[in-house]
Amino acid sequence: MRDFLILVGFCVFTFLLGMRLKRRLEKKKPQEGQIRIRKNQRPKMAAGGEEPPLVRERRLRRERRTHYFTVVLLFVLFGLMIFMIPALVTDLSMPDRIQYPHFFLRCFIFVFTIYIFVLGYVKVSRRIKERREEKRNPRK
């Protein structure tokens, strides 16, 4: 049963990775009505704190994609933590049958999973907080 769950988790991870690669490698559709920015306009826009509409659109698209991927990663890591807890409890409840290399490896994986989960959660919560502040105080 555990092997099956590991296989399912690996398949989900591979699927997400494949989707990401597919988006990156698919042909770009020609966009109509692009705004050309001349070299002499760039310093003026940078000095005014503005960014070209095309650059802003790309940045927002990349941020949405990163946010989506991070949220999916958090769900997968949470599932991995829930999956690892019974194995650790079993190891700790039967100290006579413990295999130390396996136990240390499980502990290392569990602690690393918690570390990555906390970092991802902080990243997502910080981004949500920034969005709320942007909605309250829109830039002029």
Side-chain angles (χ1 to χ4, degrees):
M1 182 66 181
R2 287 183 180 176
D3 294 335
F4 178 72
L5 291 176
I6 291 172
L7 178 67
V8 168
F10 182 73
C11 289
V12 168
F13 175 73
T14 307
F15 175 73
L16 291 173
L17 190 63
M19 281 180 43
R20 207 162 185 204
L21 286 173
K22 179 183 173 188
R23 284 184 190 157
R24 226 174 241 198
L25 296 176
E26 69 185 8
K27 291 185 177 181
K28 304 287 181 186
K29 297 179 183 177
Q31 295 180 356
E32 298 177 12
Q34 289 185 351
I35 300 173
R36 300 280 297 170
I37 299 170
R38 301 186 199 295
K39 289 183 180 179
N40 61 356
Q41 290 178 328
R42 290 181 185 157
K44 294 175 189 173
M45 295 181 89
E50 300 174 11
E51 57 184 0
L54 187 60
V55 173
R56 184 173 189 272
E57 179 184 331
R58 286 181 183 166
R59 180 181 56 83
L60 291 175
R61 194 175 334 136
R62 184 179 61 243
E63 286 177 1
R64 272 183 266 147
R65 202 171 38 232
T66 304
H67 179 75
Y68 172 73
F69 187 74
T70 306
V71 169
V72 170
L73 176 77
L74 287 176
F75 278 109
V76 170
L77 287 175
F78 184 73
L80 180 64
M81 284 190 298
I82 297 300
F83 176 73
M84 290 290 292
I85 288 173
L88 288 172
V89 169
T90 304
D91 284 344
L92 293 174
S93 66
M94 296 183 227
D96 54 335
R97 291 196 283 166
I98 193 168
Q99 296 177 350
Y100 290 105
H102 294 276
F103 176 68
F104 287 123
L105 184 61
R106 283 188 190 119
C107 288
F108 179 72
I109 291 171
F110 190 71
V111 169
F112 187 69
T113 303
I114 290 174
Y115 173 72
I116 299 292
F117 183 81
V118 168
L119 286 180
Y121 181 76
V122 167
K123 180 180 177 181
V124 168
S125 63
R126 186 179 301 149
R127 181 63 188 141
I128 290 172
K129 189 176 182 181
E130 288 173 1
R131 282 185 186 170
R132 287 181 186 161
E133 289 177 6
E134 286 177 5
K135 286 181 181 179
R136 289 182 189 159
N137 304 324
R139 294 180 182 174
K140 294 180 182 180

